Amino acid sequence: MNDEMHATSLTLAHHIAGQDMPGPAELEQRNPAVPDDLCVRLPQAGADLVAHAVDAARRALAPLSLGGIEARSDALARIGRQIAAEADDFALLIARETGKTLRDARGETIRAARIFDFFAGETLRNVGERFDSTRLGAMVEVMQHPVGVVGVITPWNFPIAIPAWKIAPALAFGNTVVWKPSEVSSAIAAKLMGIVAHSGLPSGSVNMLLGAGASGAALCAHVGIDAVSFTGSESAGSAVRQAVTARGARVQLEMGGVNGLIVLADADLDVAVECAANGAFFAAGQRCTATSRIIVDHAIADRFVVALAQRVDRLAIGDPRQAATDVGPLASPRQKERVSAQVDAVRRSGAITAFGAVPDPQDCFFPPTLFDHADHAGPLAREEIFGPVAGVFRVDGFDEALALLNDSRHGLSAGLCTRSLRHAEAFKHHARAGMLMINLPTAGVDHHAPFGGMGASSFGPREQGRAARAFYTTVRTTYLAAG
Ligand code: UN1
């Protein structure tokens, strides 16, 4: 790490209508691996600044539209190129501010760059339809228009990719943005905002408000926000949904999952162990797509648990800024408290620990923990933990595995390890989840494919890929007859 960065900690500013807007430092973010290292201080946006930002975004709608699709496409491509050019800086900053490993942070940064590039292309593909009316002499035109001013609320666990997969399509389809990033990843957000602000888009196209949950609540309540796209916890998501739908605006939510990975007796054991280790423990389990429930056929369960323990033993846990580190800390002391409390509840419910050490209360690290012979009626199968924690649920055969998998309020990602085409086909049809992963980890998605879940995991149209258009556009049907 850069010593200068370590020594100086700066106070961030909101960004509205092309200007930095400082405010009193009310919050701070520390490096979760090195708590003495104060990364940044930040102000907290209130209702007055929300109104200012919404006004700036609304005023930017006409210039964005008048600038035309080629200029907008070029600007998105420039943002993508600049993110890629600064990938090493982003990776260090992400590792420092959120505890994500350098390798994951760099991968995520490149993913964000590719997302902007993908939507640079989508900007030019905003096609409509024209066809005959059933009334003689009349025509019908179907056009997709921008929704207007979009509120974007993003979490800390993918601090650059998730903002990219909301902001890029919003702009591609002609909307302007008021963005409220998580307070835990504000420095990363400010760096991305700097790139967007210099991309050539009209000022006010993207505005950024810093702060904690209260700032997001003020954003959702503002009548000038036409749509809100949110990724985060289920409790925050349901508050967003209530506030936004209550005033008749459009909302899209991506929340958690208690994702299941089925391992059948005919699975390649190495593949299954790699899927489970990656899905459950990489990124310290802080992915909404992480594997929490490993549903294993009795016939191979003992061998599987031993092999998974050996694999996890080889993971290097430590400072995420070291290139060799596989698993870093949780993102904040608050996350550590939450995960510790939930794991205590799982232990109290009588679950058997296959591996896992007692966490040190002085730091943000949480040791990878696996429970065995877990009970599907217990807390491990019901609540998302968002830490490197999973349970093995032992079953007899595919039918029992599938029934257990589907016994969940959530339905984000589901995995299956098997060599059987018949079971893979049945899983594709009957697993209740938006993302289905066959012989792959439940977490880790491409940048060009739709993303989203079922049940309590998601609400509204899918994000990413060509599917992103549905949320960020509104359809207008024009009937046209000669006057
Ligand atoms: C991934 O698994 O690559 O917040 C992406 C999250 C999800 C994104 C997961 N919305 O973890």
Side-chain angles (χ1 to χ4, degrees):
M1 185 188 76
N2 176 335
D3 284 342
E4 209 176 302
M5 255 174 98
H6 193 120
T8 56
S9 53
L10 80 166
T11 300
L12 300 172
H14 311 289
H15 186 92
I16 301 177
Q19 306 291 322
D20 282 345
M21 300 275 297
E26 292 187 35
L27 303 165
E28 61 178 39
Q29 174 62 13
R30 292 179 177 275
N31 177 340
V34 185
D36 290 347
D37 175 18
L38 174 64
C39 300
V40 279
R41 296 194 169 87
L42 53 137
Q44 161 105 14
D48 52 337
L49 273 190
V50 168
H52 187 22
V54 172
D55 185 52
R58 187 145 308 275
R59 278 186 285 114
L61 280 169
L64 189 68
S65 166
L66 290 172
I69 56 172
E70 191 162 81
R72 216 149 78 213
S73 172
D74 287 349
L76 292 182
R78 262 195 300 278
I79 295 170
R81 276 198 302 275
Q82 195 56 33
I83 291 171
E86 297 185 34
D88 290 337
D89 292 347
F90 268 114
L92 264 177
L93 186 59
I94 292 170
R96 181 183 179 211
E97 198 178 26
T98 72
K100 187 171 266 202
T101 63
L102 265 190
R103 188 180 49 222
D104 287 352
R106 199 169 193 292
E108 186 196 335
T109 304
I110 296 300
R111 190 198 298 199
R114 291 191 200 283
I115 289 167
F116 274 100
D117 202 45
F118 178 89
F119 284 105
E122 283 295 274
T123 308
L124 305 177
R125 286 190 281 268
N126 194 4
V127 288
E129 286 181 305
R130 183 180 158 97
F131 45 85
D132 286 345
S133 165
T134 54
R135 282 168 268 182
L136 281 181
M139 294 297 301
V140 180
E141 266 180 25
V142 181
M143 297 290 289
Q144 292 171 348
H145 284 256
V147 179
V149 176
V150 179
V152 164
I153 302 178
T154 56
W156 47 263
N157 68 328
F158 283 88
I160 183 164
I162 292 179
W165 81 51
K166 296 181 191 297
I167 293 171
L171 294 169
F173 303 123
N175 305 278
T176 57
V177 172
V178 181
W179 173 31
K180 208 297 280 176
S182 163
E183 70 276 21
V184 174
S185 52
S186 304
I188 302 154
K191 183 168 170 60
L192 177 60
M193 184 66 240
I195 291 176
V196 173
H198 289 100
S199 65
L201 291 166
S203 67
S205 298
V206 179
N207 308 274
M208 181 188 69
L209 297 173
L210 300 173
S215 307
L219 183 64
C220 292
H222 197 287
V223 291
I225 296 282
D226 299 302
V228 174
S229 180
F230 166 92
T231 298
S233 72
E234 210 178 318
S235 58
S238 82
V240 167
R241 176 174 164 174
Q242 270 179 17
V244 179
T245 52
R247 46 179 196 80
R250 190 180 280 207
V251 68
Q252 173 184 59
L253 309 173
E254 286 302 339
M255 300 169 288
V258 187
N259 306 297
L261 169 72
I262 297 175
V263 179
L264 294 182
D266 70 359
D268 179 317
L269 193 67
D270 291 343
V271 169
V273 164
E274 205 49 45
C275 288
N278 178 324
F281 305 120
F282 284 22
Q286 301 176 112
R287 296 183 284 188
C288 59
T289 43
T291 306
S292 309
R293 300 179 291 141
I294 310 175
I295 301 167
V296 188
D297 193 294
H298 273 300
I300 56 156
D302 287 342
R303 276 194 297 139
F304 173 83
V305 170
V306 169
L308 183 57
Q310 285 167 350
R311 175 69 184 93
V312 171
D313 228 28
R314 291 202 307 274
L315 292 177
I317 299 169
D319 190 318
R321 287 166 300 170
Q322 303 298 325
T325 299
D326 295 310
V327 179
L330 299 179
S332 65
R334 189 161 156 220
Q335 285 307 115
K336 174 74 179 283
E337 270 165 41
R338 280 191 182 151
V339 171
S340 302
Q342 282 176 280
V343 171
D344 286 347
V346 172
R347 288 214 165 91
R348 279 199 306 277
S349 76
I352 298 163
T353 309
F355 57 78
V358 178
D360 178 348
Q362 303 303 317
D363 63 30
C364 286
F365 287 86
F366 199 94
T369 301
L370 184 75
F371 293 100
D372 198 359
H373 300 279
D375 173 8
H376 212 259
L380 194 52
R382 302 290 146 200
E383 297 301 325
E384 182 180 51
I385 292 186
F386 226 60
V389 180
V392 168
F393 300 81
R394 294 176 178 229
V395 291
D396 270 323
F398 178 73
D399 292 347
E400 198 191 331
L402 187 68
L404 220 64
L405 180 90
N406 287 342
D407 176 20
S408 174
R409 291 188 306 117
H410 299 93
L412 184 54
S413 184
L416 172 68
C417 291
T418 186
R419 288 184 173 111
S420 154
L421 193 56
R422 189 164 61 85
H423 288 140
E425 277 299 315
F427 175 79
K428 264 167 42 187
H429 286 99
H430 301 299
R432 227 183 48 87
M435 310 297 297
L436 301 178
M437 306 295 201
I438 300 174
N439 295 315
L440 287 166
T442 57
V445 301
D446 287 1
H447 75 277
H448 69 312
F451 178 82
M454 298 166 72
S457 293
S458 303
F459 183 79
R462 291 286 181 263
E463 301 198 79
Q464 297 201 76
R466 285 192 313 194
R469 184 186 297 269
F471 181 73
Y472 294 99
T473 59
T474 183
V475 171
R476 283 202 208 157
T477 310
T478 306
Y479 289 85
L480 202 73

